[in-house]
Structure formats: C-alpha cells, structure tokens
Amino acid sequence: DPTPVHPVALTLAAKDPSENVVYIARPCQYVADEACHHEDWTGARFSEEAVASINAAIDQHEQRARAASVELVGFSGGGAIALLLAQRRDDVTLIVTVAGDLDPAALNRYHRVSPLRGSLDPMREALKIAGIPQWHFTGSRDTLVPAFVAENFRKASGSPQNIRLEVINGVSHMEGWAGRWGVISSSISASRGSWPSPHRSASPRTP
C-alpha cells in the first residue's frame, strides 16, 4: 500500500494560505484498486502512465478554477513528478520541491538500491525546463534525500539564476516541514514578481 502513513504533502497543502490549492495524490494512494500493482509505486513510480494521469487531473482542476497558469509543488517523489509535469505543460509559472527526489538514479546509487527501470528520469528534462523559475528546498537533517540531489539537478539545468536551492536547518525528510511551511510559503509569495518570465528551451512534449 503506497498510501503515506504521515502525509507530509497533504499537511502542507492544508496549511498553505494560497488560493486554489489542490492536493493530488500519486496513483494508487488512498485507494484499493485491482488495477494497481506493486510496480506502480516501486520501479514505475515515475512512469509515463503515472505522470499522464496526474497531468490530466491538473487539467481538470485548472478548468474548474478557470485558471490560466499553475504552480507545481512536489514533496519527495512528488518533486520528480513536478519536474516531469513541467516539461509537458506550457502553463507552469513556478516549480517548488520539498525534499524532492530530483535525481532518482544518483539517489538510488547513494542508497545502494535498484534503479527505477520503469520510470522517466527528471534529470533528462533539466535543460528543457531551466527557464521556469524553481525553488528547491532540502532539510539539513534529511538523510533520505540529501542536499546533493537538488544540487545535481541545478547543475544539469546549467545553474541558471532562476533556480534557487535552500537548505532548511533542523528539518529531516519527514519531520519539521509543517512547522516551517508558513514561513516558506510566505517567502514564495513574496518572491512572485521578482522572477524572470518563464520560458523553455524546447517545445512541450505531447503526452
């Protein structure tokens, strides 16, 4: 069962003061469906099917809200999903990741576990989405997704000025984010208008 025991992302969404906040769980979370298989939350957790299903959900909510743009926020593996989504959309104005798995291959080598053979690799999209403003947060006590993962992604993006990395002191992978989210979300809100206009180096890929 891939449903999180401690749903950090859901907690952050509930605490976020922004308008039109939508929490989208990853496929097979919070449901018992015969169509779900073990591979869907292991080796294929960032598969084409997973990304496409979340992309369709975003389209539905964007239409309901009559919104012209979206900001993507991803926690842990949701960070990889946010990057993969941004590459195929033309309405993303900001990407925020929290303890994000932005370089799955390097992270799996670090932990000496099997590679994600059925998943897309967000590192391959780094240059394509480098023109979209991004803010990647890491916890100083995070041993599951250390800060080098976000640094790898920034380097693969060409290290543009509109990609910010920030390490939050005293925070681990699962603990501490909820207490800091008010300050973090205020910083994100205050930064709007200071970023360069989003642009991309390649046309969005059709899902």
Side-chain angles (χ1 to χ4, degrees), residues 131-149:
I132 301 174
Q134 302 171 39
W135 206 335
H136 303 296
F137 294 92
T138 304
S140 66
R141 296 175 54 235
D142 192 341
T143 58
L144 186 60
V145 183
F148 79 82
V149 175

Side-chain angles (χ1 to χ4, degrees), residues 120-139:
L120 303 174
D121 185 358
M123 288 287 282
R124 295 191 175 189
E125 317 301 340
L127 280 174
K128 299 175 186 177
I129 62 174
I132 301 174
Q134 302 171 39
W135 206 335
H136 303 296
F137 294 92
T138 304

Side-chain angles (χ1 to χ4, degrees), residues 69-191:
S69 62
V70 296
E71 297 179 355
L72 300 176
V73 181
F75 168 73
S76 193
I81 294 289
L83 300 175
L84 293 166
L85 286 166
Q87 193 276 327
R88 64 186 61 199
R89 302 186 66 88
D90 59 6
D91 56 357
V92 177
T93 58
L94 177 66
I95 304 167
V96 175
T97 68
V98 179
D101 184 1
L102 313 186
D103 187 354
L107 185 61
N108 283 17
R109 288 194 299 269
Y110 173 78
H111 288 296
R112 299 183 180 181
V113 296
S114 301
L116 304 180
R117 302 190 187 281
S119 290
L120 303 174
D121 185 358
M123 288 287 282
R124 295 191 175 189
E125 317 301 340
L127 280 174
K128 299 175 186 177
I129 62 174
I132 301 174
Q134 302 171 39
W135 206 335
H136 303 296
F137 294 92
T138 304
S140 66
R141 296 175 54 235
D142 192 341
T143 58
L144 186 60
V145 183
F148 79 82
V149 175
E151 183 59 42
N152 283 1
F153 185 82
R154 188 172 187 273
K155 289 178 180 177
S157 302
S159 300
Q161 294 298 313
N162 64 324
I163 296 183
R164 302 179 186 177
L165 307 183
E166 185 169 347
V167 176
I168 306 299
N169 289 331
V171 174
S172 68
H173 191 72
M174 298 297 296
E175 298 180 350
W177 291 111
R180 305 293 180 87
W181 193 245
V183 174
I184 292 173
S185 60
S186 293
S187 297
I188 294 170
S189 295
S191 74

Side-chain angles (χ1 to χ4, degrees), residues 7-87:
V8 176
L10 178 57
T11 300
L12 300 186
K15 286 178 171 289
D16 199 294
S18 304
E19 295 182 2
N20 295 322
V21 175
V22 175
Y23 170 76
I24 300 176
R26 280 161 51 190
C28 297
Q29 292 182 345
Y30 301 100
V31 297
D33 193 323
E34 293 182 355
C36 293
H37 303 284
H38 184 258
E39 191 68 11
D40 294 330
W41 59 86
T42 54
R45 71 187 72 168
F46 309 138
S47 67
E48 170 61 33
E49 292 78 10
V51 177
S53 67
I54 296 176
N55 195 47
I58 292 174
D59 284 342
Q60 292 177 6
H61 287 288
E62 187 177 36
Q63 291 171 7
R64 290 176 185 173
R66 298 182 180 179
S69 62
V70 296
E71 297 179 355
L72 300 176
V73 181
F75 168 73
S76 193
I81 294 289
L83 300 175
L84 293 166
L85 286 166
Q87 193 276 327

